[in-house]
Amino acid sequence: MIIGGKAVQAQSGKTLEVRSPVDGLTFEAIPRGEAADIDLAVAAARQALSGAWGKLSALERGRLMLKMAQHILDHAEELALLEARDTGKPMTTARNDMVVLARYFEFYGSAADKIHGEVIPFLNGYQVNLLREPLGVTAHIIPWNYPAQMMGRSIGPALAMGNAVVVKPAEDACLSCLRIAELALEVGFPPGALNIVSGLGEEAGAALAKHPDINFISFTGSNEVGVLIQQAAALNAVKCVLELGGKSPHLVFSDANLELAASTVVRGIIQNTGQTCTAGSRLLVQSDFYEEFLSLVAEKFSRVRVGTPEMNLDCGPVVNLSQQQRVNKYIAQAQQDGLKILAQGQIDPNVPNGGYYVTPTLFGQVPAEHPLAHEEVFGPVLAAMPFVDEAHAIALANGTDYGLLAAVWTENGGRQQRVAKALKCGQVFVNSFGAGGGVELPFGGVKRSGHGREKGFMALEEMSTTKTVIHFHG
Ligand code: NAI
Ligand code: MG
């Protein structure tokens, strides 16, 4: 862990075993940080704000972040290998994740000195300045699906605005995050600017969320924990940004570019083995060409291959035993309920025993009230269903508790606009789908997908505050 610029173990000396999902074997140990370690990290961050970190100009913060972006790229292969071993993702995905991580530091590093305050016209004899200021100590609870990318997404804007951060990465995959914090020290981030405490969610995570001396929480993860985070934030009256997943739909109309739509739909659910908050997990298809389109999707889906990171196929294993059981339970329950499997991918016969592999599965004619049509599986399971017209498509698309992202596939310009406006979610793709990408694009949910915006310039606003200075000069 890194606290106050030093590499440390948990004060208790306790550790947690790290298992690789590739083979289920233990290969590392991480510190099991607890409340006492969180206390030190928050204190170190607080000190950094009045110390060297707080004294840097916006330009200097930005330059450090750009240096960090290059340092990440210089260590991209090492980080990708670590991430692949820890999460099981194919090497191509892990490598791409490191490019995106570097991009967050580049984007926000370049933005650091371009966030200006405002001058507000007021009564005669007054000068009113609106200053934009850091929030203070920001807390970042990171999930295990894209550890490195998510850490970049969360702390990039916070550091650019001059906050001091405390990161609690996920116990299921945090080796890349711990290494990123070391890299930050190497490029010269002052002590306490970036602290990281590994440990369990209910120990280190809960202690961080309810710490009385933090000023903001960024959380990505499950709905259940999101509610706990919001309660903790409420008790200390601090702001939180919550990103709690989704059940993102594709709406495919019969005038769509079928080939492009079909291959994008398949990619959108198998990416990262379906463990993506924005996974395109529902496929809504106009009924008059449902059969034709689904046979195209099924043919592509049946070619999906699952293997180890080194095999570098379409999917890796899922992150742990409980996620494997969760995905398999959804598949078994759907079969028991009589839902029809239209296609399945294949697990490579040479994967090690004991790894957490699941079979990518496409279900057809899923009734809107079936759990598979509205619950987040977080695995490579796609639920298809027909719709009769535009209004029906919109009703189905908006008919879950989630609202993170959606894609509409049609060549009709008017329909593109109407549907995009009618969808209740934070991002809409038209004739395209980008699960996870685009550091420039404001991102976040409505309804149970959470609130607040990350990425783009909006994250800089989320992670800062304003002060209105009203000056009477006569
Ligand atoms: P989780 O919500 O428990 O874990 C996410 C992060 O929250 C981890 O860093 C964890 O240590 C932390 N955490 C857990 N309990 C906490 C607590 N009481 N206080 C503070 N922090 C806490 O997610 P989990 O259990 O690993 O996965 C369950 C489901 O959650 C997944 O199947 C998926 O549906 C959803 N999920 C969604 C993600 C997304 O990208 N939106 C990412 C991870 C999980
Ligand atoms: Mg959990």
Side-chain angles (χ1 to χ4, degrees):
M1 314 195 295
I2 302 285
I3 298 178
K6 294 204 169 59
V8 294
Q9 295 298 317
Q11 290 174 74
S12 67
K14 287 187 210 163
T15 58
L16 293 167
E17 290 187 339
V18 179
R19 249 170 231 283
S20 173
V22 176
D23 47 23
L25 299 176
T26 301
F27 71 103
E28 252 301 358
I30 52 164
R32 179 171 172 175
E34 296 170 326
D37 304 289
I38 291 290
D39 284 346
L40 288 184
V42 173
R46 182 62 61 195
Q47 246 182 345
L49 291 169
S50 51
W53 174 241
K55 293 191 173 68
L56 290 186
S57 67
L59 170 64
E60 288 165 326
R61 287 200 306 273
R63 281 189 178 147
L64 255 185
M65 293 186 69
L66 292 174
K67 217 168 136 190
M68 179 71 179
Q70 187 55 52
H71 202 48
I72 288 165
L73 292 176
D74 294 343
H75 290 78
E77 190 63 16
E78 174 204 337
L79 285 168
L81 282 165
L82 208 54
E83 193 85 313
R85 184 84 180 122
D86 210 8
T87 63
K89 61 180 78 193
M91 277 308 294
T92 299
T93 315
R95 288 189 178 111
N96 182 54
D97 283 5
M98 299 316 147
V99 174
V100 179
L101 165 68
R103 178 81 184 108
Y104 277 113
F105 277 90
E106 182 185 42
F107 181 87
Y108 288 113
S110 312
D113 60 346
K114 294 165 192 71
I115 308 300
H116 302 158
E118 289 174 28
V119 173
I120 301 174
F122 192 51
L123 304 172
N124 282 339
Y126 284 86
Q127 168 74 20
V128 180
N129 297 333
L130 186 76
L131 310 181
R132 192 157 275 283
E133 301 187 331
L135 287 162
V137 176
T138 54
H140 305 263
I141 299 177
I142 311 292
W144 42 260
N145 49 348
Y146 295 87
Q149 255 203 60
M150 293 285 187
M151 181 159 155
R153 170 172 117 184
S154 196
I155 69 173
L159 291 170
M161 293 312 298
N163 300 287
V165 310
V166 179
V167 178
K168 209 303 282 177
E171 55 271 43
D172 286 298
C174 66
L175 298 178
S176 63
C177 296
L178 293 168
R179 183 72 183 116
I180 291 163
E182 279 178 357
L183 294 178
L185 283 187
E186 290 171 19
V187 300
F189 275 86
L194 198 179
N195 308 278
I196 186 164
V197 176
S198 53
L200 297 175
E202 53 276 29
E203 295 179 356
L208 178 58
K210 63 171 195 248
H211 199 287
D213 201 28
I214 60 165
N215 305 103
F216 170 87
I217 313 175
S218 158
F219 173 80
T220 299
S222 64
N223 241 284
E224 300 72 39
V225 177
V227 170
L228 297 178
I229 298 292
Q230 181 142 349
Q231 286 169 342
L235 289 175
N236 282 320
V238 301
K239 176 160 97 168
C240 61
V241 166
L242 302 177
E243 200 267 82
L244 310 179
K247 192 74 189 178
S248 298
H250 289 273
L251 291 72
V252 188
F253 290 85
S254 49
D255 64 341
N257 176 336
L258 299 194
E259 186 57 40
L260 179 65
S263 47
T264 309
V265 163
V266 174
R267 243 198 349 268
I269 184 63
I270 64 168
Q271 176 184 324
N272 212 42
T273 319
Q275 304 166 114
T276 304
C277 42
T278 49
S281 53
R282 286 190 295 152
L283 176 56
L284 317 180
V285 183
Q286 197 158 12
S287 48
D288 54 1
F289 89 124
Y290 177 87
E291 298 298 333
E292 179 192 345
F293 186 65
L294 261 297
S295 66
L296 191 60
V297 173
E299 186 244 318
K300 293 179 190 301
F301 205 96
S302 62
R303 290 206 296 264
V304 172
R305 294 291 175 270
V306 182
T308 64
E310 296 73 34
M311 290 175 184
N312 208 14
L313 305 173
D314 307 297
C315 294
V318 292
V319 77
N320 59 25
L321 182 62
S322 95
Q323 288 300 122
Q324 183 189 39
Q325 288 167 342
R326 173 190 174 112
V327 176
N328 285 337
K329 207 167 135 195
Y330 271 105
I331 296 174
Q333 185 64 48
Q335 281 180 284
Q336 249 176 51
D337 296 340
L339 296 192
K340 194 167 164 223
I341 292 182
L342 299 183
Q344 285 192 305
Q346 266 173 40
I347 301 172
D348 189 285
N350 296 317
V351 298
N353 290 329
Y356 308 125
Y357 300 91
V358 298
T359 304
T361 305
L362 167 63
F363 285 97
Q365 298 283 356
V366 178
E369 59 282 3
H370 193 274
L372 208 55
H374 56 89
E375 290 177 13
E376 182 176 60
V377 176
F378 228 58
V381 180
L382 179 58
M385 65 198 80
F387 64 80
V388 286
D389 58 14
E390 197 176 300
H392 187 208
I394 292 165
L396 284 173
N398 289 339
T400 74
D401 289 342
Y402 290 108
L404 192 55
L405 183 142
V408 49
W409 295 88
T410 176
E411 294 296 309
N412 180 320
R415 177 178 281 151
Q416 292 170 354
Q417 302 290 334
R418 279 194 305 278
V419 176
K421 285 182 183 171
L423 288 168
K424 303 221 180 316
C425 58
Q427 260 186 4
V428 179
F429 280 88
V430 178
N431 293 333
S432 161
F433 189 81
V439 312
E440 308 86 345
L441 312 176
F443 170 79
V446 300
K447 302 197 282 183
R448 287 213 166 247
S449 289
H451 54 70
R453 292 292 174 263
E454 298 186 272
K455 303 189 178 186
F457 272 73
M458 289 186 86
L460 295 162
E461 287 167 23
E462 291 283 13
M463 299 198 195
S464 59
T465 185
T466 60
K467 182 188 286 161
T468 314
V469 182
I470 305 124
H471 194 137
F472 178 66
H473 53 66

